């Protein structure tokens, strides 16, 4: 689990992987922005939905809602960049007030613009903030040593290096990102290594780049871009596609071993609180009734976009254990925004059915302020996942997601395996 990004907090990466559940409780604005903007594919519809919420709730873009609106603006900015609309990107970013979302929108939009060949526009988007941060560093200002500044500088540097790589300015990209790469900051190294290695390869240092990619693959930290670069280098310099497949298989075996050892270090043991909930079909479900089985507990909600984005990962995990009767998956719908429990239940059931998810959904319907079972498990953000062993102990608690769906799925599979069979299953 390599990157954790909390909703409404300082952003250290590009993905919004967890939502603060209390921030959207009883908040129709957040729900409408999520369904109307974040889940919409077409730019024109995103903008229409965004404008409608602002019209329906005038003067609501204040306080906590500001971050909700800026999350929607972020989604629109990325779509504008993909549509090659740099001026509109700049205008929308200028309207944002949440620093985390503003910085994330700027860096990710720049990379998107570079991907469609708009290199100068991408660099121009990054330049004001980069110039300011460079000035602060040169002055030796104490601000340059704060965690927020370091995180922002890292994100902007990575984005600029990616843009330069896309443009073919490999030397400039390498000079820019090399200091960060050599620091080996564990919180940013996975993201820093991609532009650094791509720049190396672009400069003709193929053998060195390939060795670094191989090392990343052994650590399960190679991005899609790095794996594609490895294949290109291998085919050009070493052998055929079949030989490359053998190479990938061999590194995957070692990577899985190391992953297991890392997972073993995260093992915990805490009694899971019992609960009784009703599923969407009206049947009562007790956690204690699954004693002797491993339970994968996933707290989610229909308004939670990150929850929905994690479901394809959970589908992969579910498929691994589809015929294993000793493993149970329970998806607990929590932190309702809908006051009517019948409507809330029907919406949860409808979402599962429309997306062909075979998950068993339980309804943790809200009381006066929150969801009772979520509170028992001390859930503060969604999605949150717990793996409970056959003795009723929580063995793993997950509130962050990996950048790579396949890696994330494999990690959860290994965790379930450990909870199911004990320590020996992973060593």
């Amino acid at each position: 689990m390599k990157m954790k990004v909390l909703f409404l907090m300082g952003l250290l990466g590009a993905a919004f992987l967890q939502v603060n559940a209390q921030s959207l409780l009883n908040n129709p604005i957040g729900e409408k922005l999520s369904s109307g903007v974040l889940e919409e594919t077409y730019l024109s519809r995103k903008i229409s939905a965004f404008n409608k919420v602002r019209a329906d709730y005038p003067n609501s873009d204040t306080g906590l809602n500001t971050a909700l609106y800026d999350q929607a603006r972020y989604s629109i900015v990325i779509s504008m960049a993909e549509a090659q609309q740099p001026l509109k990107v700049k205008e929308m970013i200028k309207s944002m007030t949440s620093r985390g979302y503003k910085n994330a929108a700027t860096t990710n939009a720049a990379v998107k613009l570079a991907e469609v060949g708009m290199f100068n526009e991408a660099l121009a988007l990054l330049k004001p903030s980069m110039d300011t941060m460079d000035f602060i560093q040169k002055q030796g200002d104490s601000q340059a040593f704060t965690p927020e500044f370091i995180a922002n500088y890292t994100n902007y540097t990575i984005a600029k290096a990616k843009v330069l790589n896309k443009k073919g300015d490999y030397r400039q990209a390498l000079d820019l990102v090399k200091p960060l790469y050599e620091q080996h900051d564990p919180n940013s190294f996975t993201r820093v290594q991609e532009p650094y290695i791509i720049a190396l390869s672009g400069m003709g240092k193929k053998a060195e780049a390939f060795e670094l990619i191989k090392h990343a693959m052994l650590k399960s930290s190679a991005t899609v871009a790095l794996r594609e670069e490895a294949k290109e280098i291998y085919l050009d310099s070493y052998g055929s596609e079949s030989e490359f497949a053998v190479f990938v298989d061999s590194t995957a075996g070692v990577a899985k071993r190391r992953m297991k050892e890392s997972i073993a270090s995260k093992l915990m043991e805490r009694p899971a609180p019992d609960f009784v909930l009703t599923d969407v079909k009206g049947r009562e479900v007790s956690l204690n009734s699954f004693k002797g089985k491993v339970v994968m507990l996933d707290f989610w909600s229909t308004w939670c976009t990150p929850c929905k984005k994690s479901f394809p990962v959970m589908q992969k995990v579910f498929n691994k254990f589809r015929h294993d009767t000793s493993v149970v998956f329970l998806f607990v719908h929590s932190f309702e925004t809908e006051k009517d429990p019948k409507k809330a239940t029907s919406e949860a059931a409808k979402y599962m059915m429309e997306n062909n998810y075979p998950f068993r959904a339980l309804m943790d319907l809200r009381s006066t302020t929150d969801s009772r079972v979520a509170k028992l498990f001390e859930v503060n953000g969604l999605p949150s996942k717990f793996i409970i062993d056959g003795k009723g102990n929580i063995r793993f608690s997950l509130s962050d997601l990996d950048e790579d769906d396949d890696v994330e799925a494999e990690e959860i599979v290994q965790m379930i395996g450990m909870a199911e069979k004990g320590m020996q299953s992973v060593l």
Side-chain angles (χ1 to χ4, degrees):
M1 309 298 170
K2 298 179 180 63
M3 183 169 64
K4 182 176 182 180
V5 185
L6 296 181
F7 187 78
L8 307 183
M9 296 181 68
L11 301 176
L12 300 184
F16 304 106
L17 301 179
Q18 192 185 45
V19 176
N20 185 313
Q22 292 291 347
S23 71
L24 291 183
L25 193 63
N26 300 321
N27 193 333
I29 293 173
E31 184 177 9
K32 289 180 184 299
L33 288 172
S34 177
S35 60
V37 180
L38 303 184
E39 296 178 28
E40 179 55 62
T41 303
Y42 295 101
L43 174 59
S44 60
R45 294 177 185 172
K46 282 179 180 285
I47 295 173
S48 295
F50 180 79
N51 290 336
K52 187 176 189 307
V53 173
R54 299 201 71 184
D56 291 344
Y57 299 91
N59 304 315
S60 61
D61 194 353
T62 59
L64 178 64
N65 289 338
T66 298
L68 298 175
Y69 275 111
D70 278 354
Q71 186 192 34
R73 289 187 179 99
Y74 170 90
S75 178
I76 293 170
V77 163
I78 298 305
S79 294
M80 285 176 169
E82 292 172 339
Q84 304 181 41
Q85 299 177 1
L87 294 179
K88 290 185 178 180
V89 164
K90 188 176 180 180
E91 183 181 346
M92 181 62 76
I93 290 176
K94 191 174 181 179
S95 70
M96 300 171 76
T97 56
S98 303
R99 285 188 297 179
Y101 281 110
K102 193 166 190 172
N103 288 328
T106 303
T107 53
N108 289 299
V111 174
K112 291 293 183 183
L113 287 172
E115 288 175 352
V116 294
M118 306 189 78
F119 309 119
N120 293 335
E121 291 83 354
L123 292 172
L125 191 62
L126 296 170
K127 190 175 188 303
S129 295
M130 290 291 291
D131 286 349
T132 300
M133 287 187 284
D134 286 339
F135 177 78
I136 290 172
Q137 282 194 322
K138 288 176 182 177
Q139 295 300 310
D141 193 293
S142 59
Q143 182 185 168
F145 302 98
T146 63
E148 182 180 5
F149 181 92
I150 293 170
N152 285 334
Y153 185 78
T154 298
N155 290 334
Y156 274 87
T157 300
I158 291 170
K160 186 174 180 179
K162 286 184 175 182
V163 172
L164 291 169
N165 279 333
K166 292 287 184 182
K167 191 179 179 182
D169 290 345
Y170 300 114
R171 166 53 68 184
Q172 191 177 347
L174 187 66
D175 290 343
L176 180 67
V177 81
K178 187 175 182 180
L180 287 181
Y181 181 85
E182 291 178 340
Q183 287 175 10
H184 275 232
D185 176 7
N187 293 320
S188 61
F189 180 65
T190 298
R191 292 182 298 120
V192 170
Q193 69 181 352
E194 179 187 311
Y196 176 80
I197 295 172
I198 296 295
L200 270 181
S201 180
M203 290 177 60
K205 299 181 179 182
K206 302 291 186 181
E208 184 179 351
F210 186 80
E211 286 302 312
L212 291 174
I213 297 173
K214 183 168 71 173
H215 181 68
M217 292 172 70
L218 290 172
K219 293 175 62 180
S220 296
S221 65
T223 62
V224 172
L226 285 181
R227 290 196 291 267
E228 291 175 349
E229 188 72 17
K231 183 176 182 179
E232 184 177 328
I233 295 172
Y234 193 95
L235 296 182
D236 286 345
S237 308
Y238 300 104
S240 66
E241 291 215 18
S242 60
E243 291 171 330
F244 179 73
V246 172
F247 162 75
V248 171
D249 288 342
S250 65
T251 55
V254 176
K256 183 175 287 190
R257 168 76 181 185
R258 292 182 179 179
M259 177 191 289
K260 290 177 179 180
E261 291 171 348
S262 174
I263 289 170
S265 69
K266 300 172 185 176
L267 187 69
M268 61 186 294
E269 186 170 1
R270 191 176 82 221
D274 186 31
F275 62 80
V276 178
L277 289 174
T278 303
D279 68 15
V280 294
K281 294 183 179 180
R283 300 171 299 191
E284 281 196 349
V285 177
S286 165
L287 181 62
N288 274 342
S289 67
F290 298 111
K291 280 289 179 66
K293 300 177 183 290
V294 171
V295 177
M296 176 80 222
L297 206 60
D298 191 327
F299 287 87
W300 72 292
S301 189
T302 50
W303 52 253
C304 172
T305 301
C307 299
K308 296 174 184 178
K309 287 183 177 179
S310 78
F311 275 7
V313 171
M314 295 310 300
Q315 179 71 71
K316 292 179 181 181
V317 177
F318 179 88
N319 290 343
K320 287 277 188 178
F321 297 95
R322 184 182 292 272
H323 303 296
D324 188 342
T325 57
S326 64
V327 180
V328 176
F329 291 79
L330 300 176
F331 289 76
V332 183
H333 194 275
S334 302
F335 297 108
E336 290 291 348
T337 58
E338 172 55 56
K339 294 181 180 180
D340 182 353
K342 289 185 178 180
K343 186 175 179 182
T345 301
S346 66
E347 287 179 354
K350 180 182 177 183
Y351 181 78
M352 291 297 192
M353 181 180 67
E354 287 182 344
N355 291 277
N356 294 316
Y357 288 128
F359 308 146
R360 188 172 190 181
L362 311 183
M363 299 304 297
D364 188 15
L365 298 170
R366 68 185 179 91
S367 57
T368 309
T369 57
D370 53 23
S371 295
R372 181 180 61 83
V373 175
K375 187 174 181 180
L376 285 175
F377 279 81
E378 300 178 2
V379 173
N380 294 313
L382 299 179
S384 285
K385 309 175 193 299
F386 298 86
I387 297 174
I388 303 167
D389 68 15
K391 296 180 180 179
N393 293 313
I394 298 173
R395 306 317 299 264
F396 296 98
S397 174
L398 317 175
S399 59
D400 54 338
L401 302 176
D402 198 278
E403 295 172 79
D404 187 298
D405 284 0
D406 289 335
V407 173
E408 174 72 14
E410 183 58 30
E411 286 180 340
I412 296 175
V413 166
Q414 294 299 329
M415 289 178 179
I416 292 175
M418 176 183 285
E420 186 178 19
K421 300 176 184 177
M423 197 67 149
Q424 67 272 18
S425 69
V426 297
L427 297 179

